[in-house]
Amino acid sequence: MAQASEKLRRPIEAAVRGLGYELVGVEYLPQGRRSLVRVYIDTPEGVTVEDCEKVSHQVSGVLEVEEPISGHYILEVSSPGLDRPLFTADHFGRYAGNQVKLRLSLPLAGRRNFTGLLQGMRDNDVVLVQDGEELRIPLDSIEQARLVPEL
């Protein structure tokens, strides 16, 4: 996954939790001169623009002091949205029963993209049912995972 390193995630998580929000995940996407740091936050009541502004202000200050990354970056703070990204084993367990899209870092059985019904976690594998077949995909091989919105 495009997850941020522990060195970057840790201070962001402290700032987000300190404000009373759940940190869903942090993505770090190096892009030449301007990298992107994307922070997903949530609350049981949902997330407002004001929530994102508050967290952005706090996280910006923490990143200036801690300096976990060098160079220029763009900070984005948002709600996870309907196509919520899944980052951790806990997320894959919590959202069992939902449709999910997975992209793997390396092909598995000749494929990198999978869509199916998430069954949860077994050992350190994500269990997915696709076309009636149960697949076990190692969590550490997943580059990106998102829920498929139910409309």
Side-chain angles (χ1 to χ4, degrees):
M1 290 185 237
Q3 286 192 64
S5 69
E6 187 68 19
K7 180 181 175 186
L8 176 59
R9 191 190 60 74
R10 193 178 311 118
I12 291 173
E13 183 172 26
V16 169
R17 288 191 177 182
L19 291 171
Y21 299 95
E22 172 194 356
L23 178 66
V24 174
V26 178
E27 293 176 333
Y28 175 64
L29 306 162
Q31 299 174 343
R33 292 184 181 182
R34 285 212 180 255
S35 298
L36 176 64
V37 177
R38 188 175 292 137
V39 177
Y40 295 99
I41 62 171
D42 206 1
T43 70
E45 299 80 33
V47 175
T48 66
V49 172
E50 291 78 18
D51 294 327
C52 292
E53 289 173 356
K54 183 167 44 170
V55 169
S56 179
H57 179 72
Q58 185 73 17
V59 168
S60 290
V62 167
L63 293 179
E64 284 180 29
V65 171
E66 298 281 330
E67 295 184 335
I69 53 176
S70 60
H72 298 286
Y73 60 88
I74 297 169
L75 174 64
E76 287 183 4
V77 177
S78 72
S79 73
L82 293 176
D83 63 340
R84 171 184 284 271
L86 306 177
F87 291 95
T88 66
D90 179 58
H91 290 167
F92 286 98
R94 186 184 323 169
Y95 293 100
N98 289 280
Q99 288 288 320
V100 67
K101 282 185 175 184
L102 305 177
R103 185 174 66 224
L104 307 184
S105 50
L106 297 171
L108 176 69
R111 299 178 52 200
R112 287 187 60 208
N113 297 303
F114 295 87
T115 302
L117 185 63
L118 180 60
Q119 301 297 300
M121 293 292 299
R122 195 170 304 138
D123 299 320
N124 203 30
D125 293 338
V126 173
V127 181
L128 181 73
V129 173
Q130 182 177 27
D131 301 326
E133 181 183 348
E134 184 176 285
L135 305 171
R136 290 181 63 152
I137 300 171
L139 179 61
D140 60 1
S141 71
I142 298 174
E143 182 176 285
Q144 184 180 60
R146 289 191 171 273
L147 293 181
V148 175
E150 293 182 25
L151 305 175

